[in-house]
């Protein structure tokens, strides 16, 4: 049986971003980034992990990086919140890795919530895999919105998990 773990993002993880920067992996994100954008994102991840502004992890399966997951500070409906996002490389998809990683991140977000009540996720409406990850982890679908992402319109579902509610309740504010 495979062993899944999370470790904080490090300087050595830029190749993982490059592996995920393909048309296939970014089809639900309006396409790949440039090399300069990838480097800037990697440097931002390192700064945010060091400052505690974000908790960004590499998903490791049997000692091999297979994806990334994390959460960062945001404002949701005028309240401080965390937003989460993830990716799993194609060769590791379809085995529940993203769901298991999100299940591991939720308690971490609860432990570091610093007064934040909500964890939100905003996968594209046309991304059934990521929407399923939200559903399987007790998030509640509360809406849909469209905004510009990578210079194009992107319509996303708005999933919410109450970090204060008892685990497994999946409640969202009314």
């Amino acid at each position: 049986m495979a062993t899944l773990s999370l470790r904080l993002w490090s300087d050595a993880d830029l190749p993982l971003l490059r592996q995920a920067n393909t048309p296939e992996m970014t089809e639900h994100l309006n396409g790949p980034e440039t090399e300069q954008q990838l480097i800037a994102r990697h440097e931002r991840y390192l700064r945010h992990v060091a400052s505690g502004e974000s908790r960004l992890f590499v998903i490791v399966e049997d000692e091999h990086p297979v994806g990334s997951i994390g959460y960062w500070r945001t404002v949701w409906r005028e309240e401080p919140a965390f937003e989460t996002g993830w990716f799993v490389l194609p060769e590791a998809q379809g085995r529940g890795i993203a769901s298991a990683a999100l299940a591991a991140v939720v308690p971490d977000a609860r432990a570091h919530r610093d007064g934040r009540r909500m964890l939100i996720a905003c996968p594209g409406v046309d991304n059934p895999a990521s929407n399923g990850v939200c559903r399987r982890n007790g998030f509640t679908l509360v809406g849909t919105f469209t905004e510009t992402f990578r210079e194009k319109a992107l319509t996303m579902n708005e999933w919410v998990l109450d970090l204060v509610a008892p685990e497994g309740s999946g409640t969202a504010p009314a």
Side-chain angles (χ1 to χ4, degrees), residues 55-111:
R55 300 273 293 164
L56 303 162
F57 302 93
V58 173
I59 304 168
V60 180
E61 182 185 46
D62 293 336
E63 301 182 26
H64 300 288
V66 295
S68 178
I69 190 166
Y71 59 90
W72 50 93
R73 296 173 186 167
T74 193
V75 175
W76 179 73
R77 298 190 181 183
E78 301 181 21
E79 296 291 330
F82 284 134
E83 183 174 351
T84 186
W86 56 85
F87 69 82
V88 174
L89 297 174
E91 60 270 19
Q93 291 176 5
R95 301 198 314 257
I97 290 172
S99 286
L102 184 55
V105 160
V106 168
D108 192 84
R110 282 188 166 113

Side-chain angles (χ1 to χ4, degrees), residues 27 34 45 91 107 133 137 162:
E27 80 175 286
T34 66
Y45 283 11
E91 60 270 19
V133 168
N137 277 277
D162 188 335

Side-chain angles (χ1 to χ4, degrees), residues 26-69:
T26 60
E27 80 175 286
H28 301 292
L29 298 170
N30 288 339
E33 294 177 290
T34 66
E35 179 66 11
Q36 294 79 15
Q37 289 169 322
L38 281 180
I39 291 169
R41 181 154 52 112
H42 174 65
E43 290 171 352
R44 187 172 58 250
Y45 283 11
L46 293 172
R47 282 192 316 275
H48 288 193
V49 167
S51 71
E53 185 174 333
S54 302
R55 300 273 293 164
L56 303 162
F57 302 93
V58 173
I59 304 168
V60 180
E61 182 185 46
D62 293 336
E63 301 182 26
H64 300 288
V66 295
S68 178
I69 190 166

